[in-house]
Amino acid sequence: MRKTILLLVFFIGILKPIFSQESQITSGKRPNIIFIMSDDHAYQAISAYDNRLIETPNIDRIAKMGMLFTQASVTNSICAPSRATILTGKHSHLNGKIDNHFPFDTTNVTFPQLLQQAGYQTAMFGKLHFGNNPKGFDEFKILPGQGSYYNPEFITKKEGNIKVEGYVTDIVTDMTLDWLENERKADQPFMLMYLHKSPHRPWLMAERHMEEFTQRTFPEPATLFDDYSGRTPAAGEAEMNILDHMGWSGDNKLNPEILKQLGIADVGGYDTARYKNEIARFSPSQAETFRKYYGKVEEEFIKAYPTMSSADKMRWKYQRYMQDYLGTIKAVDENVGRLLDYLEANNMMENTIIVYTSDQGFYLGEHGWYDKRFIYDESFKTPLLVAWPGKTSAGTRSDALVQNLDFAQTFLDVAGVSAPADMQGESMVPLLTGNTEKWTRDAVYYHYYEYPAEHMVNRHYAIVTKEYKLIHYYFVEDQWELIDRIKDPQELKNVYADPAYAEVRADLHKRLEDLRVKYKDNSALSQGYIDRLLEDAARGKVWGVSKERLEEIKKRREKVMQK
Ligand code: SGN
Ligand code: CA
């Protein structure tokens, strides 16, 4: 016993210099950190933000206990880059993870590594999507790539590759609760990353929600029939329109046989294949439940189809999309409830900070879209709810311009560990603890890169303030957009050329350049990108865009470069 105490004193002595809040470690009370993140979870689908689509009473509990952020955003609205930014506290151009294609550079320093070194017990369960395993974790069980909804495989730190029967959201939670109950060390603070695959495409809900959700009807967004006029060509060129690009089988889950019967050509050639792949994963009883409820959907569709106008088809697809997407969220909410119940039952709320967020937002029919990538609000913004009982006042809201860039420094700050000087975010602790005067940020920087790629969203970088967005689409075109966020909240009108905005425009241009200097973005990463994709294509690896199309885009790119 004496030896242990002596050892402890010795370690505290060694660790002391890296803790900025010495008192917390010496009193043994460093907070636990629980980071809950879903994949593609739009804030419009969390009732603490908006209850028109779904009630999420459990996720809402986090906001009730703490703070709801209404202007939280990402620096690059796509999965793996967002995760890389979260872990490194750096913009994509510095951590190198600009898109979903190429693997994460594991020489990056991440906040879990720093917390682990500082004596935190660390664990990750669920979706990472990096092409390699996470560093700095005592335990992990992660989904390979995008992962599967039913009977998913996992890459694990201790048991190799495993396959688990059941529904992914339940399984990831079981793993998390099992770790908390059986592996968590009482004498160490922990940092837990609990990362859902849901509600990511192809939106397969749990069996228990199929009956209810396949029968529900949801309100339509005002811009479902957006014609993309009034903006630069990028919005119209994107391939994420519900009517034109969402698959009848792989997404909307109509049996390909029925499509044949009705003479419907599916969109996006491989869609039927995905339907078949997903069905093939079901156990016989899961397949039976699926057939039972989706069979009814098909029967109704067969009757309705012959007289459907194109607007009817859009509406039908939107409803099918919402049923499945929101159905997957129901299971996320239930499982978040299981976790919160566990923490409550084990008196763990008091010294724990709980964060709920998504890797980015998502379009739920706004602008006629699904998916994300664009800087328009529904995908640029991301949900952020934080409970930190005793530190953050219950039921509070913040409209501060926080970003996923800020998580690393926030968690290091919470743990009393100083952040490396090259991290680019800011700690949110002042906002969470009511010291708002210490938060001075009045604009954020955004840069999306994954083009040419699936959904064809052109590259763009931008500055966003509470009032405006100034956006540059630069890769295969050279177009500027100015959006007045206050007067045009639906973001339908480019006022860049409007003389009334001349002053605003000039001011934003200057501030955008300042931000690019501040964050060290010179866009050098654009060079040679299409060639890398072409090399992959030559090797047979196609990233959602054919070789011919890549060649075409390369020509467009060259033209812009010559200008
Ligand atoms: C898949 C989806 C896309 C989605 C990307 C990226 N297509 O490729 O719709 O944009 O993932 O999503 S699918 O037909 O394979 O489902 S991300 O969240 O991983 O960035
Ligand atoms: Ca995502």
Side-chain angles (χ1 to χ4, degrees), residues 38-40 78-79 83 127 200 358-360 372:
S38 302
D39 192 353
D40 293 356
I78 182 127
C79 187
R83 290 154 202 267
K127 179 172 171 183
H200 192 274
S358 170
D359 59 347
Q360 12 61 214
K372 54 261 175 176

Side-chain angles (χ1 to χ4, degrees), residues 433-464:
T433 53
N435 298 306
T436 35
E437 72 287 350
K438 292 200 180 135
W439 183 269
T440 54
R441 183 188 290 158
D442 58 4
V444 295
Y445 182 64
Y446 182 87
H447 197 154
Y448 171 80
Y449 300 82
E450 197 182 284
Y451 177 98
E454 199 181 2
H455 301 303
M456 300 303 280
V457 174
N458 202 339
R459 290 182 177 211
H460 51 296
Y461 63 84
I463 177 174
V464 181

Side-chain angles (χ1 to χ4, degrees), residues 3 126 232 267 277 331 341 346 350 360 400 402 452 463 540 556 561:
K3 219 167 151 191
T232 67
V267 263
N277 284 342
D341 290 348
N346 290 278
E350 273 316 298
Q360 12 61 214
V402 296
I463 177 174
R556 270 178 79 188
M561 300 273 283

